[in-house]
């Protein structure tokens, strides 16, 4: 088995959609960025690519390429996972932590897990999504941004 780790940050901007783990969360603001800026999915993609030592999201889906403009990050996740499969591995499990002061994410966690499990063709039991705050400290605490980390294990396919 191999392990991978991913981390991502985006600035919040008023009027942007707040799409996290593929779930559109009601909010007056959302992560700003070239794509849909789905922070936890970007962290998860980097973790999957990292587990295979395949570089990072910017190498495979450069934001300078119009092909990925306003990209649906769930589609990027699917493409990244195809690369993992091509290397002869499949996902064991993934553990994601989203750090934001608001919006409140707990009502959406189960839906997020379902979207990710469907995309990665695995059981929901292999996908953990957690949300926390940083006690009003730093850039997540003052509401200027959102961060996410992801850890994955991948196993050599039988
Ligand atoms: Mg990103």
């Amino acid at each position: 088995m191999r392990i991978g780790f991913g981390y991502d940050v985006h600035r919040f901007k008023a009027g942007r959609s707040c799409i996290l783990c593929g779930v559109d969360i009601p909010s007056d603001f959302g992560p700003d960025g070239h794509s849909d800026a789905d922070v936890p999915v970007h962290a998860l993609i980097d973790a999957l690519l990292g587990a295979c030592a395949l570089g990072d999201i910017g190498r495979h889906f450069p934001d300078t390429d119009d092909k990925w403009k306003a990209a649906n990050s769930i589609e990027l996740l699917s493409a990244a996972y195809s690369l993992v499969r091509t290397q002869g591995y499949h996902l064991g499990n993934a553990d994601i932590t989203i750090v934001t002061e608001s919006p409140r994410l707990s009502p959406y966690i189960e839906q997020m897990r379902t979207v990710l499990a469907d995309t990665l063709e695995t059981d929901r039991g292999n996908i953990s999504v957690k949300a926390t705050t940083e006690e009003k400290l730093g850039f997540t605490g003052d509401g200027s941004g959102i961060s996410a980390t992801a850890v994955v294990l991948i196993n050599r396919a039988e």
Side-chain angles (χ1 to χ4, degrees):
M1 66 176 68
R2 296 173 66 102
I3 192 168
F5 175 75
Y7 175 65
D8 194 34
V9 170
H10 280 255
R11 193 180 289 276
F12 272 138
K13 188 177 180 186
R16 284 271 303 183
S17 296
C18 189
I19 297 170
L20 301 174
C21 295
V23 178
D24 196 347
I25 292 158
S27 175
D28 295 334
F29 54 88
D32 195 19
H34 198 71
S35 67
D36 60 6
D38 191 328
V39 182
V41 170
H42 292 182
L44 180 56
I45 289 170
D46 264 358
L48 287 166
L49 294 173
C52 291
L54 283 173
D56 61 24
I57 188 171
R59 173 172 145 196
H60 292 274
F61 313 108
D63 61 11
T64 50
D65 187 339
D66 271 354
K67 187 178 172 187
W68 307 118
K69 188 166 184 176
N72 177 337
S73 293
I74 291 294
E75 287 170 21
L76 304 189
L77 176 61
S78 187
Y81 191 50
S82 291
L83 294 171
V84 173
R85 297 302 303 263
T86 301
Q87 297 288 308
Y89 288 89
H90 64 268
L91 180 73
N93 71 300
D95 188 14
I96 297 164
T97 300
I98 306 168
V99 184
T100 187
E101 202 65 32
S102 64
R104 201 166 149 265
L105 301 182
S106 57
Y108 307 99
I109 295 291
E110 294 311 310
Q111 200 181 338
M112 293 177 180
R113 292 177 66 209
T114 299
V115 170
L116 297 181
D118 287 351
T119 305
L120 298 174
E121 298 164 350
T122 191
D123 295 337
R124 264 161 46 98
N126 294 327
I127 305 290
S128 162
V129 178
K130 311 189 296 295
T132 188
T133 72
E134 284 183 314
E135 298 285 336
K136 308 238 188 248
L137 295 167
F139 70 85
T140 68
D142 69 15
S144 54
I146 177 170
S147 69
T149 55
V151 180
V152 300
L153 275 183
I154 57 172
N155 298 312
R156 177 67 80 179
E158 297 301 311

mmCIF file of all heavy atoms in Angstrom, residues 85-121:
data_model
loop_
_atom_site.group_PDB
_atom_site.id
_atom_site.type_symbol
_atom_site.label_atom_id
_atom_site.label_comp_id
_atom_site.label_asym_id
_atom_site.label_seq_id
_atom_site.Cartn_x
_atom_site.Cartn_y
_atom_site.Cartn_z
ATOM 1 N N ARG A 85 -5.737 4.376 -11.053
ATOM 2 C CA ARG A 85 -6.100 3.028 -11.520
ATOM 3 C C ARG A 85 -5.129 2.555 -12.601
ATOM 4 O O ARG A 85 -4.762 1.377 -12.648
ATOM 5 C CB ARG A 85 -7.549 3.012 -12.052
ATOM 6 C CG ARG A 85 -8.608 3.347 -11.010
ATOM 7 C CD ARG A 85 -8.580 2.412 -9.808
ATOM 8 N NE ARG A 85 -8.736 1.018 -10.190
ATOM 9 C CZ ARG A 85 -9.877 0.338 -10.170
ATOM 10 N NH1 ARG A 85 -10.977 0.914 -9.749
ATOM 11 N NH2 ARG A 85 -9.919 -0.917 -10.539
ATOM 12 N N THR A 86 -4.745 3.484 -13.483
ATOM 13 C CA THR A 86 -3.799 3.148 -14.551
ATOM 14 C C THR A 86 -2.463 2.689 -13.978
ATOM 15 O O THR A 86 -1.764 1.859 -14.576
ATOM 16 C CB THR A 86 -3.598 4.380 -15.469
ATOM 17 O OG1 THR A 86 -4.861 4.746 -16.005
ATOM 18 C CG2 THR A 86 -2.642 4.086 -16.605
ATOM 19 N N GLN A 87 -2.112 3.232 -12.800
ATOM 20 C CA GLN A 87 -0.864 2.825 -12.138
ATOM 21 C C GLN A 87 -1.002 1.465 -11.447
ATOM 22 O O GLN A 87 -0.033 0.960 -10.871
ATOM 23 C CB GLN A 87 -0.468 3.866 -11.078
ATOM 24 C CG GLN A 87 -0.170 5.252 -11.625
ATOM 25 C CD GLN A 87 1.139 5.298 -12.394
ATOM 26 O OE1 GLN A 87 2.164 4.867 -11.890
ATOM 27 N NE2 GLN A 87 1.095 5.801 -13.616
ATOM 28 N N GLY A 88 -2.214 0.909 -11.464
ATOM 29 C CA GLY A 88 -2.419 -0.416 -10.883
ATOM 30 C C GLY A 88 -2.882 -0.397 -9.432
ATOM 31 O O GLY A 88 -2.748 -1.397 -8.727
ATOM 32 N N TYR A 89 -3.430 0.748 -8.991
ATOM 33 C CA TYR A 89 -3.875 0.875 -7.593
ATOM 34 C C TYR A 89 -5.357 1.210 -7.518
ATOM 35 O O TYR A 89 -5.944 1.718 -8.476
ATOM 36 C CB TYR A 89 -3.089 1.992 -6.888
ATOM 37 C CG TYR A 89 -1.655 1.630 -6.615
ATOM 38 C CD1 TYR A 89 -0.667 1.887 -7.568
ATOM 39 C CD2 TYR A 89 -1.275 1.025 -5.423
ATOM 40 C CE1 TYR A 89 0.664 1.546 -7.332
ATOM 41 C CE2 TYR A 89 0.050 0.685 -5.175
ATOM 42 C CZ TYR A 89 1.004 0.950 -6.126
ATOM 43 O OH TYR A 89 2.313 0.601 -5.889
ATOM 44 N N HIS A 90 -5.945 0.898 -6.366
ATOM 45 C CA HIS A 90 -7.291 1.390 -6.088
ATOM 46 C C HIS A 90 -7.319 1.974 -4.678
ATOM 47 O O HIS A 90 -6.440 1.677 -3.845
ATOM 48 C CB HIS A 90 -8.344 0.295 -6.262
ATOM 49 C CG HIS A 90 -8.210 -0.836 -5.299
ATOM 50 N ND1 HIS A 90 -7.466 -1.971 -5.580
ATOM 51 C CD2 HIS A 90 -8.688 -0.992 -4.042
ATOM 52 C CE1 HIS A 90 -7.505 -2.774 -4.538
ATOM 53 N NE2 HIS A 90 -8.231 -2.209 -3.582
ATOM 54 N N LEU A 91 -8.333 2.778 -4.421
ATOM 55 C CA LEU A 91 -8.415 3.460 -3.128
ATOM 56 C C LEU A 91 -8.701 2.481 -2.001
ATOM 57 O O LEU A 91 -9.576 1.622 -2.121
ATOM 58 C CB LEU A 91 -9.538 4.513 -3.177
ATOM 59 C CG LEU A 91 -9.737 5.314 -1.882
ATOM 60 C CD1 LEU A 91 -8.605 6.303 -1.683
ATOM 61 C CD2 LEU A 91 -11.078 6.027 -1.888
ATOM 62 N N GLY A 92 -7.946 2.597 -0.914
ATOM 63 C CA GLY A 92 -8.275 1.887 0.314
ATOM 64 C C GLY A 92 -9.269 2.736 1.097
ATOM 65 O O GLY A 92 -10.438 2.402 1.217
ATOM 66 N N ASN A 93 -8.798 3.862 1.609
ATOM 67 C CA ASN A 93 -9.698 4.804 2.279
ATOM 68 C C ASN A 93 -9.144 6.215 2.186
ATOM 69 O O ASN A 93 -7.967 6.420 1.860
ATOM 70 C CB ASN A 93 -9.939 4.408 3.732
ATOM 71 C CG ASN A 93 -8.737 4.626 4.612
ATOM 72 O OD1 ASN A 93 -7.678 4.038 4.363
ATOM 73 N ND2 ASN A 93 -8.875 5.460 5.620
ATOM 74 N N ALA A 94 -10.019 7.167 2.440
ATOM 75 C CA ALA A 94 -9.644 8.585 2.413
ATOM 76 C C ALA A 94 -10.208 9.261 3.653
ATOM 77 O O ALA A 94 -11.314 8.933 4.102
ATOM 78 C CB ALA A 94 -10.199 9.265 1.157
ATOM 79 N N ASP A 95 -9.446 10.191 4.199
ATOM 80 C CA ASP A 95 -9.878 10.965 5.369
ATOM 81 C C ASP A 95 -9.613 12.446 5.092
ATOM 82 O O ASP A 95 -8.467 12.831 4.854
ATOM 83 C CB ASP A 95 -9.116 10.491 6.611
ATOM 84 C CG ASP A 95 -9.636 11.113 7.898
ATOM 85 O OD1 ASP A 95 -10.742 11.690 7.875
ATOM 86 O OD2 ASP A 95 -8.938 11.015 8.919
ATOM 87 N N ILE A 96 -10.691 13.237 5.095
ATOM 88 C CA ILE A 96 -10.625 14.648 4.705
ATOM 89 C C ILE A 96 -11.057 15.512 5.879
ATOM 90 O O ILE A 96 -12.025 15.184 6.573
ATOM 91 C CB ILE A 96 -11.581 14.901 3.512
ATOM 92 C CG1 ILE A 96 -11.117 14.093 2.303
ATOM 93 C CG2 ILE A 96 -11.688 16.380 3.182
ATOM 94 C CD1 ILE A 96 -12.167 13.971 1.229
ATOM 95 N N THR A 97 -10.343 16.602 6.100
ATOM 96 C CA THR A 97 -10.766 17.591 7.089
ATOM 97 C C THR A 97 -10.914 18.945 6.405
ATOM 98 O O THR A 97 -9.989 19.395 5.716
ATOM 99 C CB THR A 97 -9.755 17.708 8.243
ATOM 100 O OG1 THR A 97 -9.636 16.445 8.896
ATOM 101 C CG2 THR A 97 -10.222 18.744 9.265
ATOM 102 N N ILE A 98 -12.069 19.565 6.572
ATOM 103 C CA ILE A 98 -12.334 20.902 6.030
ATOM 104 C C ILE A 98 -12.301 21.883 7.198
ATOM 105 O O ILE A 98 -12.928 21.640 8.229
ATOM 106 C CB ILE A 98 -13.718 20.964 5.344
ATOM 107 C CG1 ILE A 98 -13.848 19.865 4.289
ATOM 108 C CG2 ILE A 98 -13.949 22.347 4.727
ATOM 109 C CD1 ILE A 98 -15.280 19.683 3.765
ATOM 110 N N VAL A 99 -11.549 22.977 7.034
ATOM 111 C CA VAL A 99 -11.417 23.965 8.101
ATOM 112 C C VAL A 99 -12.038 25.281 7.654
ATOM 113 O O VAL A 99 -11.550 25.924 6.716
ATOM 114 C CB VAL A 99 -9.937 24.185 8.478
ATOM 115 C CG1 VAL A 99 -9.845 25.157 9.659
ATOM 116 C CG2 VAL A 99 -9.252 22.875 8.814
ATOM 117 N N THR A 100 -13.129 25.664 8.303
ATOM 118 C CA THR A 100 -13.784 26.935 7.986
ATOM 119 C C THR A 100 -14.625 27.380 9.179
ATOM 120 O O THR A 100 -15.144 26.537 9.922
ATOM 121 C CB THR A 100 -14.650 26.820 6.712
ATOM 122 O OG1 THR A 100 -15.123 28.118 6.348
ATOM 123 C CG2 THR A 100 -15.832 25.900 6.905
ATOM 124 N N GLU A 101 -14.734 28.677 9.343
ATOM 125 C CA GLU A 101 -15.560 29.200 10.433
ATOM 126 C C GLU A 101 -17.037 29.088 10.056
ATOM 127 O O GLU A 101 -17.879 28.775 10.887
ATOM 128 C CB GLU A 101 -15.174 30.660 10.700
ATOM 129 C CG GLU A 101 -15.530 31.162 12.083
ATOM 130 C CD GLU A 101 -14.749 30.452 13.194
ATOM 131 O OE1 GLU A 101 -13.602 30.053 12.971
ATOM 132 O OE2 GLU A 101 -15.323 30.290 14.287
ATOM 133 N N SER A 102 -17.337 29.358 8.776
ATOM 134 C CA SER A 102 -18.702 29.229 8.267
ATOM 135 C C SER A 102 -18.617 29.059 6.753
ATOM 136 O O SER A 102 -17.578 29.377 6.174
ATOM 137 C CB SER A 102 -19.536 30.461 8.636
ATOM 138 O OG SER A 102 -19.003 31.613 7.987
ATOM 139 N N PRO A 103 -19.646 28.573 6.076
ATOM 140 C CA PRO A 103 -20.921 28.117 6.646
ATOM 141 C C PRO A 103 -20.751 26.841 7.467
ATOM 142 O O PRO A 103 -19.718 26.184 7.395
ATOM 143 C CB PRO A 103 -21.778 27.855 5.398
ATOM 144 C CG PRO A 103 -20.790 27.521 4.334
ATOM 145 C CD PRO A 103 -19.578 28.338 4.632
ATOM 146 N N ARG A 104 -21.785 26.515 8.191
ATOM 147 C CA ARG A 104 -21.778 25.307 9.003
ATOM 148 C C ARG A 104 -21.955 24.093 8.094
ATOM 149 O O ARG A 104 -22.891 24.045 7.297
ATOM 150 C CB ARG A 104 -22.925 25.394 10.026
ATOM 151 C CG ARG A 104 -22.729 24.488 11.215
ATOM 152 C CD ARG A 104 -23.687 24.861 12.338
ATOM 153 N NE ARG A 104 -24.007 23.651 13.077
ATOM 154 C CZ ARG A 104 -25.079 22.910 12.844
ATOM 155 N NH1 ARG A 104 -25.950 23.274 11.930
ATOM 156 N NH2 ARG A 104 -25.282 21.816 13.530
ATOM 157 N N LEU A 105 -21.051 23.129 8.203
ATOM 158 C CA LEU A 105 -21.029 22.035 7.226
ATOM 159 C C LEU A 105 -21.665 20.746 7.713
ATOM 160 O O LEU A 105 -21.957 19.863 6.896
ATOM 161 C CB LEU A 105 -19.583 21.758 6.795
ATOM 162 C CG LEU A 105 -18.851 22.951 6.169
ATOM 163 C CD1 LEU A 105 -17.454 22.529 5.734
ATOM 164 C CD2 LEU A 105 -19.622 23.508 4.987
ATOM 165 N N SER A 106 -21.905 20.617 9.012
ATOM 166 C CA SER A 106 -22.365 19.321 9.525
ATOM 167 C C SER A 106 -23.627 18.789 8.833
ATOM 168 O O SER A 106 -23.732 17.578 8.629
ATOM 169 C CB SER A 106 -22.544 19.362 11.043
ATOM 170 O OG SER A 106 -23.424 20.374 11.419
ATOM 171 N N PRO A 107 -24.583 19.643 8.408
ATOM 172 C CA PRO A 107 -25.768 19.076 7.739
ATOM 173 C C PRO A 107 -25.461 18.441 6.378
ATOM 174 O O PRO A 107 -26.320 17.746 5.827
ATOM 175 C CB PRO A 107 -26.693 20.293 7.550
ATOM 176 C CG PRO A 107 -26.186 21.344 8.484
ATOM 177 C CD PRO A 107 -24.714 21.100 8.592
ATOM 178 N N TYR A 108 -24.278 18.703 5.828
ATOM 179 C CA TYR A 108 -23.965 18.274 4.458
ATOM 180 C C TYR A 108 -22.911 17.166 4.382
ATOM 181 O O TYR A 108 -22.574 16.696 3.300
ATOM 182 C CB TYR A 108 -23.502 19.482 3.633
ATOM 183 C CG TYR A 108 -24.482 20.615 3.701
ATOM 184 C CD1 TYR A 108 -24.283 21.689 4.570
ATOM 185 C CD2 TYR A 108 -25.656 20.592 2.943
ATOM 186 C CE1 TYR A 108 -25.211 22.712 4.667
ATOM 187 C CE2 TYR A 108 -26.588 21.610 3.035
ATOM 188 C CZ TYR A 108 -26.358 22.661 3.902
ATOM 189 O OH TYR A 108 -27.289 23.661 3.997
ATOM 190 N N ILE A 109 -22.391 16.774 5.530
ATOM 191 C CA ILE A 109 -21.268 15.815 5.546
ATOM 192 C C ILE A 109 -21.639 14.477 4.892
ATOM 193 O O ILE A 109 -20.873 13.932 4.088
ATOM 194 C CB ILE A 109 -20.788 15.569 7.001
ATOM 195 C CG1 ILE A 109 -20.192 16.848 7.595
ATOM 196 C CG2 ILE A 109 -19.816 14.404 7.062
ATOM 197 C CD1 ILE A 109 -18.892 17.305 7.008
ATOM 198 N N GLU A 110 -22.826 13.955 5.210
ATOM 199 C CA GLU A 110 -23.201 12.633 4.666
ATOM 200 C C GLU A 110 -23.373 12.698 3.154
ATOM 201 O O GLU A 110 -22.980 11.768 2.438
ATOM 202 C CB GLU A 110 -24.461 12.110 5.356
ATOM 203 C CG GLU A 110 -24.247 11.795 6.836
ATOM 204 C CD GLU A 110 -23.003 10.929 7.084
ATOM 205 O OE1 GLU A 110 -22.868 9.894 6.408
ATOM 206 O OE2 GLU A 110 -22.169 11.305 7.917
ATOM 207 N N GLN A 111 -23.936 13.814 2.672
ATOM 208 C CA GLN A 111 -24.085 13.992 1.223
ATOM 209 C C GLN A 111 -22.703 14.071 0.559
ATOM 210 O O GLN A 111 -22.485 13.505 -0.518
ATOM 211 C CB GLN A 111 -24.884 15.279 0.980
ATOM 212 C CG GLN A 111 -25.526 15.350 -0.387
ATOM 213 C CD GLN A 111 -26.293 16.649 -0.579
ATOM 214 O OE1 GLN A 111 -26.693 17.313 0.403
ATOM 215 N NE2 GLN A 111 -26.490 17.021 -1.828
ATOM 216 N N MET A 112 -21.781 14.762 1.201
ATOM 217 C CA MET A 112 -20.408 14.850 0.671
ATOM 218 C C MET A 112 -19.784 13.466 0.554
ATOM 219 O O MET A 112 -19.170 13.127 -0.461
ATOM 220 C CB MET A 112 -19.535 15.707 1.595
ATOM 221 C CG MET A 112 -19.899 17.175 1.644
ATOM 222 S SD MET A 112 -18.825 17.996 2.858
ATOM 223 C CE MET A 112 -19.420 19.682 2.738
ATOM 224 N N ARG A 113 -19.946 12.661 1.589
ATOM 225 C CA ARG A 113 -19.371 11.313 1.576
ATOM 226 C C ARG A 113 -19.947 10.490 0.431
ATOM 227 O O ARG A 113 -19.232 9.730 -0.235
ATOM 228 C CB ARG A 113 -19.643 10.604 2.910
ATOM 229 C CG ARG A 113 -18.884 11.219 4.086
ATOM 230 C CD ARG A 113 -19.262 10.512 5.379
ATOM 231 N NE ARG A 113 -18.827 9.135 5.404
ATOM 232 C CZ ARG A 113 -19.436 8.167 6.082
ATOM 233 N NH1 ARG A 113 -20.521 8.423 6.796
ATOM 234 N NH2 ARG A 113 -18.974 6.937 6.052
ATOM 235 N N THR A 114 -21.247 10.630 0.211
ATOM 236 C CA THR A 114 -21.901 9.883 -0.860
ATOM 237 C C THR A 114 -21.355 10.287 -2.220
ATOM 238 O O THR A 114 -21.039 9.428 -3.059
ATOM 239 C CB THR A 114 -23.426 10.111 -0.817
ATOM 240 O OG1 THR A 114 -23.905 9.630 0.436
ATOM 241 C CG2 THR A 114 -24.140 9.396 -1.942
ATOM 242 N N VAL A 115 -21.211 11.595 -2.450
ATOM 243 C CA VAL A 115 -20.693 12.079 -3.740
ATOM 244 C C VAL A 115 -19.286 11.542 -3.980
ATOM 245 O O VAL A 115 -18.969 11.032 -5.059
ATOM 246 C CB VAL A 115 -20.692 13.627 -3.784
ATOM 247 C CG1 VAL A 115 -19.930 14.135 -5.012
ATOM 248 C CG2 VAL A 115 -22.114 14.163 -3.779
ATOM 249 N N LEU A 116 -18.446 11.618 -2.957
ATOM 250 C CA LEU A 116 -17.055 11.166 -3.122
ATOM 251 C C LEU A 116 -16.979 9.655 -3.311
ATOM 252 O O LEU A 116 -16.219 9.155 -4.148
ATOM 253 C CB LEU A 116 -16.199 11.597 -1.920
ATOM 254 C CG LEU A 116 -16.055 13.107 -1.708
ATOM 255 C CD1 LEU A 116 -15.168 13.382 -0.504
ATOM 256 C CD2 LEU A 116 -15.511 13.802 -2.947
ATOM 257 N N ALA A 117 -17.771 8.917 -2.543
ATOM 258 C CA ALA A 117 -17.769 7.457 -2.670
ATOM 259 C C ALA A 117 -18.235 7.039 -4.060
ATOM 260 O O ALA A 117 -17.644 6.141 -4.679
ATOM 261 C CB ALA A 117 -18.650 6.830 -1.590
ATOM 262 N N ASP A 118 -19.273 7.699 -4.569
ATOM 263 C CA ASP A 118 -19.763 7.387 -5.920
ATOM 264 C C ASP A 118 -18.681 7.678 -6.959
ATOM 265 O O ASP A 118 -18.467 6.896 -7.893
ATOM 266 C CB ASP A 118 -21.017 8.203 -6.238
ATOM 267 C CG ASP A 118 -22.237 7.702 -5.472
ATOM 268 O OD1 ASP A 118 -22.144 6.629 -4.838
ATOM 269 O OD2 ASP A 118 -23.276 8.389 -5.503
ATOM 270 N N THR A 119 -18.004 8.813 -6.806
ATOM 271 C CA THR A 119 -16.985 9.226 -7.783
ATOM 272 C C THR A 119 -15.798 8.267 -7.765
ATOM 273 O O THR A 119 -15.225 7.950 -8.816
ATOM 274 C CB THR A 119 -16.494 10.653 -7.473
ATOM 275 O OG1 THR A 119 -17.621 11.527 -7.430
ATOM 276 C CG2 THR A 119 -15.511 11.145 -8.527
ATOM 277 N N LEU A 120 -15.445 7.784 -6.577
ATOM 278 C CA LEU A 120 -14.265 6.920 -6.435
ATOM 279 C C LEU A 120 -14.650 5.438 -6.432
ATOM 280 O O LEU A 120 -13.802 4.578 -6.156
ATOM 281 C CB LEU A 120 -13.499 7.285 -5.158
ATOM 282 C CG LEU A 120 -12.958 8.722 -5.146
ATOM 283 C CD1 LEU A 120 -12.350 9.071 -3.794
ATOM 284 C CD2 LEU A 120 -11.938 8.939 -6.256
ATOM 285 N N GLU A 121 -15.912 5.167 -6.739
ATOM 286 C CA GLU A 121 -16.402 3.790 -6.884
ATOM 287 C C GLU A 121 -16.029 2.944 -5.672
ATOM 288 O O GLU A 121 -15.470 1.853 -5.793
ATOM 289 C CB GLU A 121 -15.838 3.173 -8.179
ATOM 290 C CG GLU A 121 -16.282 3.927 -9.415
ATOM 291 C CD GLU A 121 -15.459 3.610 -10.652
ATOM 292 O OE1 GLU A 121 -14.415 2.944 -10.534
ATOM 293 O OE2 GLU A 121 -15.861 4.045 -11.736
#
